[in-house]
Amino acid sequence: MNNIFLNLKKRFMDFSIYTKLIVSFLTIVLFLVIISFVDFFYYKNDKTKNTLNTISQMNNQGLTEIDSYIKDIEKLTQLPLFYKNSNILYNLKESNLDPNKINDMETDTNYIFNNIFALKNEIHSVFLFNLNGKSLYKIPGSSLYTPYYPSNERWFQESIQNFGKPVLTPIYKIDYIADKQLGSSYLFNISRALIDYDMGKVEGVISINSNVDVLKNFLQKLLIYDKQRILLIDHNNNIIYDTIEDNIGKPLKSTSINLTDDEIKKGSINIDNTNYIIKTNKSSYCNWTIVNLIPTQSLNKQITNLKNYSISITILFILLSLVFIVLLSKQIVRPIQLLTKKIKLVESGDLDVHLTLTSNDEIGKLSRSFDSMIIKLRELINEVYVDKIKQKELEMNMLQNQINPHFLYNTLESIHMMAEINDDAEVSEMSTALGSILRYGLNTRIKLVSLEDEINNITLYMQLQKIRLDNIEDLIIDVDKELLKTKVLKLILQPIVENSIYHGLSSIAEGGIISINIYILDTNLIIDVVDNGQGMDKDTLDKLTGYINGFNDSFKSIGLRNVNLRLKLHYGNSYGLEIFSSPEQGTLVKIKIPLL
């Protein structure tokens, strides 16, 4: 292994400088590209994992809403048992002996039916059956054109066998409804046997039907991806709802979905040559299962766009960098090649050589030193008897790397872009605001700014502080628009507002408000910065007034003192800050400057 490394090192050292530069550059670029793709791979996997977790939570939320709806309907099936002054159980008992007597309780049932629809107006229909299957019912806007006797149907028998416990029937149709649209609707049914507990006998069955569209409304909330598909299936794998609505009521195996435990565990499935991410969640209450199918292409759409964009930018960067390194390499190598040629001439004995490089870089200095050396050589040859040979030291100036503020701006912009991609609005907002504040503060060429610029800067600053601190409620600014173009000293508001936040408002848990009122008094511009914080007593106020004017060193904070001194130095001693405060009454910092 060591021999291979030594051989590679030797071969690299034998390359020309031009080749070394190109190879080194390409190696670094290749390394960065590999790291980028590895990072992208892990990012994609992490994004998919987080998405699946989110989908699982949404599935559970959908099941919770469905379970809650079913529980509400189950409670409604108990209304006939708790209706005061009702003879429903007695009339049901009588109608079991004489079916015609079921009409004797029409008044009571209508009252109950109306109450049920008032509580859940999306219900499709309500039926009250005696044990022979004869019924009273309500179907809003329609009726049965043929009597409906379900006494031999499975759900009816199960309701009787369950002796008062609710029975959930996942999907079926009632074919005898006069309104064709209502009659063609798929329904799910909750029924309950009505028990005469004194006699210990079942006297009838109440059945409440809801349209599958109710479930559709719950499940539509889960659709967030293009071409996403949601299914709701019962414990027998019959489809209760499918976004492809032609499949409603069919067995799952009759569709193109072959749902196996391996595919559920793996989290992916192929349907009609389309790859899907699959996430299933089962309700422990109603025993129904949500199957959430998201096309892999839709899930990775943003990631794919980011990948394509990154690849394009990377290729463009490599091409531009390659052109740059080639041109730079030539600029470095060409003078060296010329210098080498002249050295060979000197080796052959020709001392009448001269380099004409005018650059001020290291190679230019080397060429001028070479010229100087040749001159000295000629002088030494001509001065054989000179005992001393003068030597001259060559000085190399090191270039000093500077950290440009643009590095900070670009980094914040990158954070902003990544937050936008990840839908993190709060981080995006904070990075944008911080970038603007940095640009404003680091621009040292401008000392006087418009009042509008100063207000914009303090607004961004408060925007950040409101995100960071829970006790900051609002910043209120009252200023006449005609004053916005007035020139003021830069960065006079931020230190004062910062002092209000960290000292005035620090003791309150919530509702912190800072008001800035700007107006003209005589020929001066007055800016009042007011907070509703804890305030201070007279002794503390007197010490603080002396501190900002340089008469004591009672405080460590330098913000207010610096602002006051800057104002006095720029405008004169008659201008600056004045502070007013009382305990529990907040603090007012008044800025007085001439109106410019």
Side-chain angles (χ1 to χ4, degrees):
M1 189 71 180
N2 289 334
N3 291 333
I4 296 175
F5 177 76
L6 291 173
N7 288 333
L8 290 174
K9 181 179 179 181
K10 184 177 183 303
R11 291 189 64 181
F12 181 78
M13 296 303 295
D14 290 339
F15 289 156
S16 65
I17 293 177
Y18 179 79
T19 304
K20 288 177 182 177
L21 289 171
I22 298 297
V23 170
S24 299
F25 168 76
L26 292 177
T27 301
I28 293 172
V29 169
L30 179 62
F31 178 71
L32 293 175
V33 169
I34 292 173
I35 290 177
S36 298
F37 275 99
V38 171
D39 284 344
F40 181 81
F41 173 78
Y42 281 107
Y43 168 75
K44 179 180 177 181
N45 287 343
D46 186 61
K47 178 77 172 178
T48 302
K49 182 178 179 182
N50 290 337
T51 301
L52 288 175
N53 290 335
T54 301
I55 292 169
S56 180
Q57 293 174 4
M58 294 176 66
N59 285 354
N60 286 327
Q61 180 62 33
L63 287 173
T64 299
E65 292 182 347
I66 291 172
D67 288 344
S68 178
Y69 181 84
I70 291 173
K71 290 175 183 178
D72 288 344
I73 300 300
E74 288 175 351
K75 291 177 181 177
L76 293 180
T77 61
Q78 296 176 317
L79 279 182
L81 300 174
F82 299 108
Y83 175 42
K84 293 182 178 180
N85 303 320
S86 171
N87 294 316
I88 286 180
L89 289 176
Y90 174 78
N91 289 330
L92 281 173
K93 180 179 179 180
E94 290 296 313
S95 70
N96 289 330
L97 300 175
D98 181 1
N100 292 325
K101 288 191 175 183
I102 195 169
N103 296 320
D104 294 344
M105 57 181 182
E106 187 170 357
T107 302
D108 288 340
T109 54
N110 282 338
Y111 179 82
I112 291 173
F113 291 165
N114 289 334
N115 275 300
I116 289 174
F117 279 98
L119 293 170
K120 287 286 182 183
N121 58 9
E122 68 271 20
I123 289 173
H124 176 275
S125 55
V126 182
F127 287 79
L128 185 64
F129 299 96
N130 64 15
L131 296 181
N132 298 313
K134 191 168 184 179
S135 66
L136 293 172
Y137 65 88
K138 181 173 183 178
I139 306 173
S142 189
S143 61
L144 298 179
Y145 62 81
T146 297
Y148 174 43
Y149 293 97
S151 55
N152 293 325
E153 293 185 17
R154 184 175 177 180
W155 66 266
F156 193 92
Q157 294 298 324
E158 285 184 2
S159 298
I160 294 174
Q161 292 169 8
N162 276 14
F163 201 73
K165 293 182 180 179
V167 174
L168 173 63
T169 303
I171 193 81
Y172 80 118
K173 285 184 177 181
I174 300 176
D175 296 324
Y176 311 115
I177 299 178
D179 188 301
K180 291 184 178 180
Q181 184 174 357
L182 290 174
S184 63
S185 299
Y186 278 102
L187 311 174
F188 64 98
N189 165 286
I190 298 172
S191 57
R192 184 192 298 270
L194 299 176
I195 311 298
D196 184 347
Y197 288 101
D198 293 333
M199 303 298 295
K201 290 179 59 179
V202 175
E203 300 296 351
V205 174
I206 184 171
S207 169
I208 300 179
N209 299 299
S210 292
N211 199 306
V212 170
D213 285 344
V214 173
L215 304 176
K216 177 181 177 180
N217 293 334
F218 293 138
L219 298 176
Q220 286 286 337
K221 300 174 185 177
L222 309 183
L223 295 174
I224 57 176
Y225 290 97
D226 186 31
K227 298 181 180 178
Q228 183 180 355
R229 189 173 172 185
I230 302 280
L231 293 91
L232 184 66
I233 58 178
D234 64 15
H235 63 284
N236 292 321
N237 278 351
N238 294 316
I239 299 175
I240 303 170
Y241 175 76
D242 187 350
T243 45
I244 301 177
E245 297 188 5
D246 290 340
N247 291 331
I248 296 176
K250 295 179 181 179
L252 184 64
K253 62 183 180 182
S254 68
T255 68
S256 56
I257 301 176
N258 183 21
L259 198 59
T260 65
D261 291 338
D262 289 340
E263 288 170 328
I264 293 174
K265 186 176 181 181
K266 187 171 60 175
S268 62
I269 189 173
N270 186 281
I271 304 173
D272 297 331
N273 297 320
T274 300
N275 291 321
Y276 289 84
I277 298 294
I278 182 171
K279 192 66 182 177
T280 63
N281 295 80
K282 187 174 183 179
S283 168
S284 59
Y285 185 77
C286 66
N287 213 22
W288 291 353
T289 300
I290 286 181
V291 181
N292 204 325
L293 299 168
I294 302 171
T296 305
Q297 186 176 3
S298 298
L299 178 65
N300 295 333
K301 185 176 181 180
Q302 287 184 341
I303 298 177
T304 302
N305 291 339
L306 176 62
K307 180 185 71 175
N308 294 336
Y309 176 78
S310 300
I311 290 174
S312 300
I313 293 297
T314 301
I315 292 173
L316 180 61
F317 168 76
I318 291 173
L319 292 175
L320 292 176
S321 299
L322 188 58
V323 171
F324 174 76
I325 198 66
V326 168
L327 295 175
L328 179 63
S329 300
K330 287 183 177 180
Q331 291 294 320
I332 295 173
V333 172
R334 190 179 293 116
I336 293 176
Q337 290 174 338
L338 180 59
L339 180 60
T340 302
K341 182 179 179 180
K342 297 296 183 180
I343 290 175
K344 288 182 178 179
L345 289 175
V346 172
E347 286 178 346
S348 65
D350 184 3
L351 296 180
D352 294 325
V353 296
H354 178 66
L355 287 174
T356 57
L357 299 177
T358 58
S359 62
N360 291 320
D361 57 11
E362 288 82 354
I363 296 175
K365 293 178 181 180
L366 182 61
S367 67
R368 288 191 287 275
S369 297
F370 177 77
D371 284 342
S372 177
M373 183 187 69
I374 296 301
I375 293 172
K376 290 295 182 182
L377 279 174
R378 288 198 296 263
E379 291 177 355
L380 287 171
I381 291 173
N382 293 328
E383 298 176 5
V384 179
Y385 301 105
V386 176
D387 296 327
K388 249 184 180 183
I389 298 175
K390 297 180 180 180
Q391 297 180 346
K392 183 179 182 181
E393 295 181 354
L394 300 177
E395 298 180 357
M396 304 288 287
N397 293 330
M398 301 294 292
L399 296 175
Q400 190 176 34
N401 291 325
Q402 297 179 346
I403 298 177
N404 198 308
H406 289 291
F407 170 76
L408 296 175
Y409 305 154
N410 293 338
T411 301
L412 287 171
E413 183 60 24
S414 297
I415 295 172
H416 165 68
M417 291 175 64
M418 290 303 295
E420 288 286 343
I421 291 171
N422 291 315
D423 294 329
D424 195 334
E426 191 169 81
V427 172
S428 173
E429 179 184 350
M430 291 181 72
S431 62
T432 301
L434 182 57
S436 299
I437 291 172
L438 284 174
R439 285 187 176 89
Y440 184 79
L442 293 177
N443 189 351
T444 57
R445 293 176 298 173
I446 302 175
K447 293 185 177 180
L448 288 178
V449 297
S450 68
L451 185 59
E452 183 178 15
D453 289 341
E454 189 72 1
I455 290 173
N456 289 339
N457 180 65
I458 199 62
T459 302
L460 289 172
Y461 174 79
M462 282 297 293
Q463 182 180 333
L464 286 176
Q465 294 290 25
K466 286 171 70 177
I467 294 174
R468 289 183 59 248
L469 304 173
D470 294 334
N471 64 331
I472 305 300
E473 180 176 318
D474 203 1
L475 170 69
I476 301 172
I477 299 176
D478 183 14
V479 57
D480 193 329
K481 290 183 178 179
E482 295 179 358
L483 296 177
L484 292 177
K485 300 303 179 184
T486 304
K487 293 294 182 180
V488 298
L489 199 61
K490 184 179 177 182
L491 287 176
I492 57 174
L493 288 179
Q494 183 175 324
I496 298 173
V497 171
E498 184 175 9
N499 189 78
S500 296
I501 291 173
Y502 290 107
H503 298 287
L505 302 179
S506 61
S507 63
I508 64 174
E510 59 182 11
I513 297 175
I514 296 177
S515 301
I516 300 177
N517 304 313
I518 305 172
Y519 53 95
I520 298 174
L521 182 63
D522 297 327
T523 59
N524 298 318
L525 181 69
I526 306 299
I527 303 174
D528 290 342
V529 181
V530 185
D531 67 65
N532 63 341
Q534 62 184 350
M536 65 188 85
D537 57 34
K538 188 176 185 305
D539 288 341
T540 304
L541 178 62
D542 291 341
K543 289 180 181 178
L544 182 59
T545 300
Y547 173 76
I548 66 171
N549 288 287
F551 298 134
N552 64 62
D553 293 310
S554 300
F555 300 88
K556 294 182 179 180
S557 175
I558 62 172
L560 293 179
R561 174 183 272 187
N562 280 351
V563 172
N564 191 46
L565 293 177
R566 285 173 56 218
L567 291 172
K568 290 183 179 297
L569 286 172
H570 188 80
Y571 297 112
N573 288 329
S574 58
Y575 301 97
L577 301 183
E578 192 173 0
I579 304 173
F580 304 88
S581 184
S582 297
E584 306 302 325
Q585 299 296 317
T587 300
L588 162 64
V589 178
K590 186 182 293 291
I591 304 173
K592 176 184 175 184
I593 58 176
L595 184 63
L596 299 179

